Amino acid sequence: MCKVLLIDDDSPTNFYNQYILKKNNINCEIVTLNNGLIALEYLKTHEFPNLIFLDINMPVMDGLEFLEAA
């Protein structure tokens, strides 16, 4: 099964992205995380996703810092 990772500190944006994926019959596990640091910790213990939606401007660790660290 495929996996999509949504990384955004804005809950409505994560909700909308989930809605769009489900509406378009994307049959994937959808995981939602609130910042890049949490996402890095998640990736240490889980399979790498097939697709990542990544917000660039977030507190704690922004999207660019996440990309550099991943």
Side-chain angles (χ1 to χ4, degrees), residues 7-65:
I7 308 171
D8 198 318
D9 62 317
D10 185 51
S11 295
T13 299
N14 282 328
F15 177 82
Y16 180 73
N17 287 332
Q18 283 183 347
Y19 171 78
I20 293 298
L21 290 167
K22 289 177 182 177
K23 182 175 173 138
N24 286 285
N25 296 318
I26 304 299
N27 188 23
C28 293
E29 176 186 358
I30 301 171
V31 177
T32 304
L33 303 169
N34 293 327
N35 67 57
L37 188 58
I38 294 171
L40 281 179
E41 291 300 316
Y42 175 86
L43 290 176
K44 288 179 182 178
T45 58
H46 293 83
E47 182 180 328
F48 205 82
N50 300 88
L51 179 65
I52 297 175
F53 285 78
L54 177 63
D55 184 14
I56 297 300
N57 187 17
M58 294 181 287
V60 182
M61 176 183 274
D62 66 32
L64 296 175
E65 293 170 327

